[in-house]
Amino acid sequence: MFIAANLLPAWAIWLSAFGAFGVLAVATYYADWQALLAAPERVNSCGAALVLLLFLHLLSFDADDDLALHLLGATTATLLLGLRFALLIGALVVLVVSLFQGESLLAVPLAWVLSIAIPATVSRAMVWWLRGRSSRQPFIYIMGAGFGGGIASALATAAAGMLALSAIGQWHWVSAALGSWPVIVLIAFPEGFINGTLVTAFVVLAPDAMKLYDSADYSPDV
């Protein structure tokens, strides 16, 4: 979700920039780079996540000249790479997309917060919650972390976007969003469907490639 830089007051630009750079610095420091570089398949997973996010973020439409919406894909990236690498790969994706679409770099930090940081964190929280459940069916993980995580991340992004628009005084957008809430649901469903489909494919075909999927947690007792 890109909000044009001309709509952002200086405090919003600086606050989002400091927040984004701080989180990315922590993610860079604590990311397990040795484990990543030690296994070529993990590097390939990063490349796949990068291509996936670029594709989904470029499938955007302009709700207005100053507001662009797009699919997220952060749920799949988080389940595949873990939260830290999902945040880092997502930052690169948002930067590339902003340059490709001619967006101001001043809008990039807030776009990263809305499009990557919030949905990725929600998706990671969903996995944490699922691991506390007693069910041992992979279907629970697929529907909960994949489909459910995708929907929850989309709704969280929509709510955060409305809060951001409210904070910068763009009340007409908030009123329009609240007045057409079914559209938000319609946007959330394809986000859940796409992520659920991708997570299903990984769980069935390459479960070891998913960092946040542990087959032992979802294998029946014998």
Side-chain angles (χ1 to χ4, degrees), residues 2-221:
F2 272 96
I3 301 176
N6 62 286
L7 297 180
L8 300 176
W11 67 263
I13 294 174
W14 283 107
L15 181 62
S16 59
F18 278 120
F21 290 142
V23 172
L24 289 173
V26 172
T28 301
Y29 181 80
Y30 285 103
D32 195 345
W33 296 99
Q34 290 184 345
L36 173 67
L37 299 177
E41 61 272 15
R42 292 171 184 160
V43 178
N44 293 337
S45 296
C46 286
L50 177 64
V51 173
L52 168 68
L53 291 177
L54 277 173
F55 176 74
L56 293 178
H57 283 225
L58 287 172
L59 287 177
S60 64
F61 67 93
D62 293 331
D64 186 80
D65 292 338
D66 295 322
L67 185 66
L69 303 176
H70 56 78
L71 293 170
L72 301 171
T75 296
T76 300
T78 303
L79 301 182
L80 190 62
L81 307 177
L83 180 59
R84 298 180 185 94
F85 282 113
L87 294 175
L88 295 172
I89 292 293
L92 178 60
V93 168
V94 173
L95 178 60
V96 171
V97 170
S98 68
L99 294 174
F100 181 81
Q101 296 181 339
E103 301 283 351
S104 171
L105 293 180
L106 296 177
V108 168
L110 182 58
W112 174 82
V113 171
L114 295 175
S115 302
I116 300 295
I118 289 176
T121 302
V122 169
S123 299
R124 183 63 182 88
M126 182 68 75
V127 175
W128 175 83
W129 182 80
L130 286 172
R131 284 180 175 171
R133 306 303 97 190
S134 59
S135 175
R136 290 184 174 274
Q137 295 296 326
F139 179 77
I140 298 298
Y141 182 89
I142 291 171
M143 292 300 295
F147 187 79
I151 290 180
S153 65
L155 294 177
T157 299
M162 285 191 286
L163 287 175
L165 291 169
S166 299
I168 62 176
Q170 298 299 318
W171 296 103
H172 65 288
W173 276 114
V174 179
S175 299
L178 293 176
S180 56
W181 62 266
V183 176
I184 298 177
V185 177
L186 291 176
I187 292 175
F189 182 81
E191 183 70 29
F193 177 79
I194 290 173
N195 285 280
T197 301
L198 291 172
V199 170
T200 301
F202 278 111
V203 168
V204 173
L205 301 176
D208 293 338
M210 298 194 67
K211 182 176 179 61
L212 296 186
Y213 178 76
D214 188 347
S215 299
D217 288 342
Y218 295 95
S219 59
D221 292 326

